Amino acid sequence: MKAIVLKKYGSPSDLALEEHPTPTPKPDEVLVKIVATAVNDWDWCLTRAKPFYIRLLCGFFSPKVRIPGAEISGVVEKRGSEVTTLAEGDAVYADISECGFGGFAEYVCVPASTVSKKPESISHFQAAALPHAAMLAIQGLFDSGELQPGQSLLANGAGGGVGTLAVQLAKAHGVDDVTGVDSADKAASMKEQGYNKTIDYQAEDFTRNGGQYHLILDTKTNRFPLSYLRALHPGGRYVTVGGRTRHLLLTFLVAPLIHLFTKKRIRIVGIQTNRDLDQVSELCASGKLTPLVEGPFPLKEAPRLVQRFGEGRHQGKIILTTQTP
């Protein structure tokens, strides 16, 4: 099979399209013929071994993960002898980051319990944009953020995969006041996704403009946690789903003290992969959730597109496909 292979840490330019052995499923696994995969933060971090904890998780001197790619959508090609919940030919999608990655390839083997059946109402290209980003959005908004109908929401990094799903999920939950923060070139697409107001982070600091929100959902975490308190209503909540390591660490350390003295809550989402995919499937089927995608692009373009992701120039999710035109 063809796969994008990572042989050494460095930069996305070190990724290469090569022939790689097609895996064979274990008794509890399925072999998935991948149609589409999405670029996400795991791929950007893994190729560069940054932040440092990537080396602790994925190999200190050289990568143990040879094929990146965490989000997939495809078709069950073969099932292991113990698999009874899926049949060959079933369309499935999943976040496979806890299964060793491997999405940047034509085939991957994963435990059958990991994947969910793809909604018929969306394409493989759309489905690949959902597993990781939608879990972060759902668990950030509702589990950690406790967002309620009628409240106000601000999303920082609103034009990416999590942000473009978060606004749709919030609107479906009865939240009408939703503000998005990102670069000016993403404002039009953010409006199309449902944001009532957009803020260009290069022109305006949302923590200093006087606005206050019941919930801030942050995909960037590019400042210290005390900065966000100004933009929260009394009793408001700040939830981060990712960002700079030192800011995340400080957020974890000061969160109890902030709540003790201000009654405002600061939380970090520890993602539970694939937990809410059935809910996502229902929302897609009802037309309440439609991912924004760039692409699909040929798999061979992965190096360029991982770099584009890392620079934050993408809108929604970047999708790669193994299909040939």
Side-chain angles (χ1 to χ4, degrees), residues 113-248:
S113 59
T114 298
V115 302
S116 293
K117 291 186 178 180
K118 181 185 75 67
E120 294 182 0
S121 58
I122 61 173
S123 69
H124 283 290
F125 308 130
Q126 293 172 314
L130 290 168
H132 188 76
M135 295 306 96
L136 288 174
I138 288 174
Q139 293 165 27
L141 290 174
F142 306 120
D143 293 356
S144 297
E146 302 176 13
L147 186 63
Q148 299 297 320
Q151 292 186 335
S152 56
L153 167 69
L154 178 139
N156 186 30
V162 175
T164 52
L165 294 174
V167 62
Q168 298 177 60
L169 291 164
K171 290 296 180 77
H173 194 63
V175 176
D176 296 320
D177 183 2
V178 187
T179 299
V181 180
D182 214 309
S183 57
D185 61 338
K186 299 181 184 182
S189 66
M190 288 160 58
K191 286 281 190 179
E192 291 176 0
Q193 296 303 305
Y195 283 101
N196 304 96
K197 179 183 178 181
T198 62
I199 296 174
D200 176 7
Y201 75 91
Q202 294 174 316
E204 183 178 352
D205 184 347
F206 74 88
T207 71
R208 294 185 177 275
N209 65 6
Q212 287 191 320
Y213 309 88
H214 293 99
L215 174 63
I216 295 174
L217 181 70
D218 197 357
T219 70
K220 298 297 185 182
T221 315
N222 50 10
R223 62 186 81 204
F224 291 107
L226 292 177
S227 304
Y228 300 104
L229 299 184
R230 294 187 294 263
L232 287 176
H233 280 300
R237 296 163 303 281
Y238 167 84
V239 175
T240 173
V241 300
R244 295 180 182 175
T245 303
R246 61 173 180 162
H247 292 160
L248 290 171

Side-chain angles (χ1 to χ4, degrees), residues 14 32 35 69 123 178 182 187 210 224 231 235 239 276-277 287 295 313:
D14 292 312
V32 178
V35 176
S123 69
V178 187
D182 214 309
F224 291 107
V239 175
D276 300 300
L277 274 187
R313 295 187 290 118

Side-chain angles (χ1 to χ4, degrees), residues 25-40:
K26 298 176 182 177
D28 65 338
E29 292 182 335
V30 289
L31 174 67
V32 178
K33 180 178 175 60
I34 298 172
V35 176
T37 183
V39 178
N40 72 26

